[in-house]
Amino acid sequence: MSVERVLATEQTTALIDKLSQLHGPLMFHQSGGCCDGSAPMCYPRKEFRVGQHDVYLGEIAGCPFYISGPQFEYWQHTQLTIDVVKGRGSGFSVEAPEGVRFLTRSRVFSDAEHAELQAAGPPLRGPQHE
């Protein structure tokens, strides 16, 4: 499939590389919960348990990226781009001590992209990269 559901900016990729050197393999989870609302959270891969309703969107900089099932229902028609901005995010996400936070930007898929995604079938749910 050529249409990707999640992308990363160059700044994000550079930060992920740095954080991976400090923390080892990482993963992302986008929820709609408390704390930072729907901010993408980055965790050491072994320290976050993916739930059976979480949806696997793809990888950014070699890191699996999941979104909660309810959030996916809202955002399934959009491509997410993970960016980095100055400011302090959640204390739970590994970038917090760096003085920056991850931020999700989105755009609606074109009709052709949406058709390609539909033809590919639904994304995987549950843990894919344990």
Side-chain angles (χ1 to χ4, degrees), residues 36-53:
D36 275 331
S38 60
M41 304 294 227
C42 181
Y43 303 102
R45 207 173 288 184
K46 302 257 184 211
E47 292 184 20
F48 185 88
R49 178 164 280 179
V50 174
Q52 66 182 9
H53 298 290

PDB file of all heavy atoms in Angstrom, residues 36-53:
ATOM      1  N   ASP A  36      -2.527  14.626  28.381  1.00  0.00           N
ATOM      2  CA  ASP A  36      -2.328  15.529  27.252  1.00  0.00           C
ATOM      3  C   ASP A  36      -3.394  15.334  26.181  1.00  0.00           C
ATOM      4  O   ASP A  36      -3.162  15.620  25.011  1.00  0.00           O
ATOM      5  CB  ASP A  36      -0.938  15.328  26.653  1.00  0.00           C
ATOM      6  CG  ASP A  36       0.101  16.142  27.382  1.00  0.00           C
ATOM      7  OD1 ASP A  36      -0.277  17.201  27.912  1.00  0.00           O
ATOM      8  OD2 ASP A  36       1.256  15.733  27.414  1.00  0.00           O
ATOM      9  N   GLY A  37      -4.546  14.839  26.559  1.00  0.00           N
ATOM     10  CA  GLY A  37      -5.629  14.672  25.594  1.00  0.00           C
ATOM     11  C   GLY A  37      -5.253  13.700  24.511  1.00  0.00           C
ATOM     12  O   GLY A  37      -5.005  12.541  24.771  1.00  0.00           O
ATOM     13  N   SER A  38      -5.184  14.183  23.299  1.00  0.00           N
ATOM     14  CA  SER A  38      -4.893  13.290  22.183  1.00  0.00           C
ATOM     15  C   SER A  38      -3.463  13.456  21.672  1.00  0.00           C
ATOM     16  O   SER A  38      -3.182  13.239  20.512  1.00  0.00           O
ATOM     17  CB  SER A  38      -5.899  13.507  21.053  1.00  0.00           C
ATOM     18  OG  SER A  38      -5.829  14.837  20.610  1.00  0.00           O
ATOM     19  N   ALA A  39      -2.547  13.842  22.548  1.00  0.00           N
ATOM     20  CA  ALA A  39      -1.147  13.976  22.151  1.00  0.00           C
ATOM     21  C   ALA A  39      -0.545  12.597  21.918  1.00  0.00           C
ATOM     22  O   ALA A  39      -0.842  11.653  22.650  1.00  0.00           O
ATOM     23  CB  ALA A  39      -0.351  14.712  23.230  1.00  0.00           C
ATOM     24  N   PRO A  40       0.315  12.462  20.922  1.00  0.00           N
ATOM     25  CA  PRO A  40       0.990  11.185  20.728  1.00  0.00           C
ATOM     26  C   PRO A  40       2.019  10.984  21.832  1.00  0.00           C
ATOM     27  O   PRO A  40       2.784  11.895  22.154  1.00  0.00           O
ATOM     28  CB  PRO A  40       1.657  11.336  19.361  1.00  0.00           C
ATOM     29  CG  PRO A  40       1.835  12.802  19.179  1.00  0.00           C
ATOM     30  CD  PRO A  40       0.720  13.462  19.930  1.00  0.00           C
ATOM     31  N   MET A  41       2.016   9.835  22.438  1.00  0.00           N
ATOM     32  CA  MET A  41       2.929   9.518  23.531  1.00  0.00           C
ATOM     33  C   MET A  41       3.957   8.513  23.054  1.00  0.00           C
ATOM     34  O   MET A  41       3.617   7.562  22.348  1.00  0.00           O
ATOM     35  CB  MET A  41       2.172   8.941  24.709  1.00  0.00           C
ATOM     36  CG  MET A  41       1.075   9.854  25.196  1.00  0.00           C
ATOM     37  SD  MET A  41       1.741  11.346  25.884  1.00  0.00           S
ATOM     38  CE  MET A  41       0.815  11.438  27.353  1.00  0.00           C
ATOM     39  N   CYS A  42       5.207   8.718  23.444  1.00  0.00           N
ATOM     40  CA  CYS A  42       6.308   7.853  23.057  1.00  0.00           C
ATOM     41  C   CYS A  42       6.809   7.131  24.306  1.00  0.00           C
ATOM     42  O   CYS A  42       7.091   7.773  25.327  1.00  0.00           O
ATOM     43  CB  CYS A  42       7.413   8.700  22.441  1.00  0.00           C
ATOM     44  SG  CYS A  42       8.829   7.753  21.874  1.00  0.00           S
ATOM     45  N   TYR A  43       6.900   5.810  24.220  1.00  0.00           N
ATOM     46  CA  TYR A  43       7.304   4.990  25.357  1.00  0.00           C
ATOM     47  C   TYR A  43       8.390   3.998  24.950  1.00  0.00           C
ATOM     48  O   TYR A  43       8.423   3.566  23.793  1.00  0.00           O
ATOM     49  CB  TYR A  43       6.122   4.150  25.858  1.00  0.00           C
ATOM     50  CG  TYR A  43       4.910   4.933  26.252  1.00  0.00           C
ATOM     51  CD1 TYR A  43       3.807   5.008  25.414  1.00  0.00           C
ATOM     52  CD2 TYR A  43       4.841   5.579  27.480  1.00  0.00           C
ATOM     53  CE1 TYR A  43       2.676   5.712  25.780  1.00  0.00           C
ATOM     54  CE2 TYR A  43       3.706   6.282  27.855  1.00  0.00           C
ATOM     55  CZ  TYR A  43       2.625   6.335  27.002  1.00  0.00           C
ATOM     56  OH  TYR A  43       1.511   7.032  27.361  1.00  0.00           O
ATOM     57  N   PRO A  44       9.221   3.578  25.916  1.00  0.00           N
ATOM     58  CA  PRO A  44      10.060   2.416  25.626  1.00  0.00           C
ATOM     59  C   PRO A  44       9.128   1.256  25.260  1.00  0.00           C
ATOM     60  O   PRO A  44       8.077   1.062  25.884  1.00  0.00           O
ATOM     61  CB  PRO A  44      10.787   2.158  26.944  1.00  0.00           C
ATOM     62  CG  PRO A  44      10.829   3.516  27.599  1.00  0.00           C
ATOM     63  CD  PRO A  44       9.512   4.147  27.226  1.00  0.00           C
ATOM     64  N   ARG A  45       9.461   0.533  24.237  1.00  0.00           N
ATOM     65  CA  ARG A  45       8.569  -0.465  23.660  1.00  0.00           C
ATOM     66  C   ARG A  45       8.049  -1.487  24.668  1.00  0.00           C
ATOM     67  O   ARG A  45       6.907  -1.910  24.602  1.00  0.00           O
ATOM     68  CB  ARG A  45       9.267  -1.171  22.504  1.00  0.00           C
ATOM     69  CG  ARG A  45       8.301  -1.699  21.482  1.00  0.00           C
ATOM     70  CD  ARG A  45       8.969  -2.242  20.257  1.00  0.00           C
ATOM     71  NE  ARG A  45       9.508  -1.161  19.447  1.00  0.00           N
ATOM     72  CZ  ARG A  45      10.078  -1.341  18.276  1.00  0.00           C
ATOM     73  NH1 ARG A  45      10.206  -2.541  17.780  1.00  0.00           N
ATOM     74  NH2 ARG A  45      10.540  -0.324  17.592  1.00  0.00           N
ATOM     75  N   LYS A  46       8.865  -1.878  25.604  1.00  0.00           N
ATOM     76  CA  LYS A  46       8.457  -2.913  26.573  1.00  0.00           C
ATOM     77  C   LYS A  46       7.672  -2.338  27.749  1.00  0.00           C
ATOM     78  O   LYS A  46       7.217  -3.080  28.599  1.00  0.00           O
ATOM     79  CB  LYS A  46       9.690  -3.654  27.093  1.00  0.00           C
ATOM     80  CG  LYS A  46      10.496  -4.302  25.999  1.00  0.00           C
ATOM     81  CD  LYS A  46      10.262  -5.761  25.955  1.00  0.00           C
ATOM     82  CE  LYS A  46      11.172  -6.372  24.899  1.00  0.00           C
ATOM     83  NZ  LYS A  46      10.610  -7.502  24.287  1.00  0.00           N
ATOM     84  N   GLU A  47       7.508  -1.016  27.809  1.00  0.00           N
ATOM     85  CA  GLU A  47       6.848  -0.407  28.963  1.00  0.00           C
ATOM     86  C   GLU A  47       5.405   0.022  28.716  1.00  0.00           C
ATOM     87  O   GLU A  47       4.789   0.632  29.583  1.00  0.00           O
ATOM     88  CB  GLU A  47       7.667   0.785  29.461  1.00  0.00           C
ATOM     89  CG  GLU A  47       8.987   0.355  30.059  1.00  0.00           C
ATOM     90  CD  GLU A  47       9.773   1.498  30.652  1.00  0.00           C
ATOM     91  OE1 GLU A  47       9.184   2.555  30.951  1.00  0.00           O
ATOM     92  OE2 GLU A  47      10.992   1.334  30.809  1.00  0.00           O
ATOM     93  N   PHE A  48       4.866  -0.289  27.550  1.00  0.00           N
ATOM     94  CA  PHE A  48       3.472   0.048  27.268  1.00  0.00           C
ATOM     95  C   PHE A  48       2.796  -1.171  26.669  1.00  0.00           C
ATOM     96  O   PHE A  48       3.295  -1.754  25.714  1.00  0.00           O
ATOM     97  CB  PHE A  48       3.373   1.223  26.288  1.00  0.00           C
ATOM     98  CG  PHE A  48       1.960   1.691  26.063  1.00  0.00           C
ATOM     99  CD1 PHE A  48       1.398   2.647  26.882  1.00  0.00           C
ATOM    100  CD2 PHE A  48       1.181   1.149  25.044  1.00  0.00           C
ATOM    101  CE1 PHE A  48       0.093   3.073  26.677  1.00  0.00           C
ATOM    102  CE2 PHE A  48      -0.115   1.570  24.834  1.00  0.00           C
ATOM    103  CZ  PHE A  48      -0.666   2.532  25.662  1.00  0.00           C
ATOM    104  N   ARG A  49       1.710  -1.546  27.242  1.00  0.00           N
ATOM    105  CA  ARG A  49       0.971  -2.705  26.738  1.00  0.00           C
ATOM    106  C   ARG A  49      -0.124  -2.238  25.786  1.00  0.00           C
ATOM    107  O   ARG A  49      -1.002  -1.465  26.162  1.00  0.00           O
ATOM    108  CB  ARG A  49       0.352  -3.488  27.879  1.00  0.00           C
ATOM    109  CG  ARG A  49      -0.459  -4.673  27.364  1.00  0.00           C
ATOM    110  CD  ARG A  49      -0.741  -5.638  28.411  1.00  0.00           C
ATOM    111  NE  ARG A  49       0.478  -6.428  28.547  1.00  0.00           N
ATOM    112  CZ  ARG A  49       0.611  -7.400  29.411  1.00  0.00           C
ATOM    113  NH1 ARG A  49      -0.356  -7.681  30.240  1.00  0.00           N
ATOM    114  NH2 ARG A  49       1.715  -8.086  29.479  1.00  0.00           N
ATOM    115  N   VAL A  50      -0.038  -2.699  24.557  1.00  0.00           N
ATOM    116  CA  VAL A  50      -1.034  -2.370  23.541  1.00  0.00           C
ATOM    117  C   VAL A  50      -2.276  -3.216  23.803  1.00  0.00           C
ATOM    118  O   VAL A  50      -2.178  -4.427  24.035  1.00  0.00           O
ATOM    119  CB  VAL A  50      -0.465  -2.642  22.133  1.00  0.00           C
ATOM    120  CG1 VAL A  50      -1.526  -2.436  21.070  1.00  0.00           C
ATOM    121  CG2 VAL A  50       0.735  -1.746  21.876  1.00  0.00           C
ATOM    122  N   GLY A  51      -3.446  -2.579  23.763  1.00  0.00           N
ATOM    123  CA  GLY A  51      -4.696  -3.283  24.004  1.00  0.00           C
ATOM    124  C   GLY A  51      -5.268  -3.905  22.734  1.00  0.00           C
ATOM    125  O   GLY A  51      -4.899  -3.532  21.616  1.00  0.00           O
ATOM    126  N   GLN A  52      -6.175  -4.824  22.918  1.00  0.00           N
ATOM    127  CA  GLN A  52      -6.756  -5.532  21.765  1.00  0.00           C
ATOM    128  C   GLN A  52      -7.588  -4.637  20.865  1.00  0.00           C
ATOM    129  O   GLN A  52      -7.830  -4.968  19.708  1.00  0.00           O
ATOM    130  CB  GLN A  52      -7.585  -6.715  22.241  1.00  0.00           C
ATOM    131  CG  GLN A  52      -8.833  -6.335  23.035  1.00  0.00           C
ATOM    132  CD  GLN A  52      -9.590  -7.559  23.515  1.00  0.00           C
ATOM    133  OE1 GLN A  52      -9.114  -8.678  23.399  1.00  0.00           O
ATOM    134  NE2 GLN A  52     -10.778  -7.330  24.051  1.00  0.00           N
ATOM    135  N   HIS A  53      -8.009  -3.481  21.352  1.00  0.00           N
ATOM    136  CA  HIS A  53      -8.804  -2.563  20.527  1.00  0.00           C
ATOM    137  C   HIS A  53      -7.967  -1.447  19.906  1.00  0.00           C
ATOM    138  O   HIS A  53      -8.479  -0.662  19.112  1.00  0.00           O
ATOM    139  CB  HIS A  53      -9.947  -1.962  21.347  1.00  0.00           C
ATOM    140  CG  HIS A  53     -10.910  -2.999  21.832  1.00  0.00           C
ATOM    141  ND1 HIS A  53     -11.750  -3.677  20.992  1.00  0.00           N
ATOM    142  CD2 HIS A  53     -11.129  -3.494  23.066  1.00  0.00           C
ATOM    143  CE1 HIS A  53     -12.457  -4.543  21.685  1.00  0.00           C
ATOM    144  NE2 HIS A  53     -12.096  -4.453  22.945  1.00  0.00           N
TER     145      HIS A  53
END
